[in-house]
Amino acid sequence: MAPTKNDEKPQPGDLIEIFRSGYQHWAIYVGNGFVVHLAPPTEHANAGACSMISVTCDRATVKKEEIWNVVGSDKYSINNLLDENYEPRPIREILREAESLVGNKLPYCVFRGNCEHFVTELRYGKPESRQVRKAMEIGVGVGVAAIVGFGVLALAATLFGSKDKEKQTK
């Protein structure tokens, strides 16, 4: 079993971040060794790159499973990432809603409705995904770098092209 970062014991309502290969899966701890999570068909412990296929899924199932069955041999940590931004909802409400959703099939979209959106909405009433935000920032950064790179190349070509023309006219 993989330990948490600090070997902390999760409390009901805590968000659990599970470090898979290339992405993080998220669950919410509901007590007695169980978590509730939004799982597309390809999401399971030790799924590795195969779980990346979840980007093609449009539905996912809300599951209640033992934490160690979800974590597998991956590392995890308690990560109530938005506590500084939002007041967590009352624990009773979080747990009641999480339990009421178990077994439901929900719309799934890696960009607008993934497992991280699911658990942050349960805890804070706000569906947010830091992973999506980071991916978008990286994508925008790469796009800007490409535009800047093309601009520099175009400028260099213009400058060197002008110098070549000057040499030809002398």
Side-chain angles (χ1 to χ4, degrees):
M1 289 186 233
T4 66
K5 279 185 188 174
N6 304 316
D7 283 334
E8 297 174 82
K9 300 265 187 251
Q11 299 301 310
D14 279 342
L15 301 184
I16 307 297
E17 182 177 18
I18 304 161
F19 301 94
R20 304 277 199 239
S21 295
Y23 72 102
Q24 288 80 40
H25 182 62
W26 289 81
I28 192 159
Y29 188 75
V30 294
N32 299 318
F34 284 86
V35 294
V36 170
H37 62 121
L38 183 64
T42 58
E43 176 57 47
H44 56 83
N46 308 320
C50 135
S51 192
M52 297 300 277
I53 296 169
S54 67
V55 298
T56 63
C57 299
D58 65 351
R59 309 281 296 162
T61 304
V62 178
K63 295 181 177 182
K64 180 179 180 179
E65 298 180 275
E66 285 189 36
I67 189 169
W68 297 118
N69 289 338
V70 178
V71 171
S73 61
D74 295 320
K75 294 209 180 294
Y76 80 95
S77 70
I78 297 165
N79 188 353
N80 298 318
L81 68 158
L82 298 174
D83 278 8
E84 292 179 12
N85 300 350
Y86 305 115
E87 173 100 16
R89 296 171 56 213
I91 300 298
R92 268 188 312 212
E93 287 179 26
I94 294 170
L95 300 180
R96 185 175 48 240
E97 186 174 349
E99 294 281 351
S100 75
L101 292 170
V102 171
N104 288 344
K105 289 199 180 299
L106 300 178
Y108 182 84
C109 174
V110 101
F111 300 107
R112 291 183 314 274
N114 65 37
C115 58
E116 187 177 1
H117 289 106
F118 175 74
V119 298
T120 56
E121 185 165 21
L122 284 171
R123 183 168 174 90
Y124 306 106
K126 310 265 185 217
E128 292 193 21
S129 176
R130 200 177 43 177
Q131 287 182 95
V132 170
R133 195 174 327 128
K134 281 183 185 176
M136 300 282 269
E137 288 169 0
I138 289 168
V140 168
V142 168
V144 168
I147 290 168
V148 169
F150 288 133
V152 168
L153 287 174
L155 179 60
T158 302
L159 291 174
F160 289 116
S162 298
K163 289 183 180 181
D164 286 343
K165 286 182 185 176
E166 286 177 26
K167 286 179 186 176
Q168 290 173 357
T169 57
K170 288 185 178 179

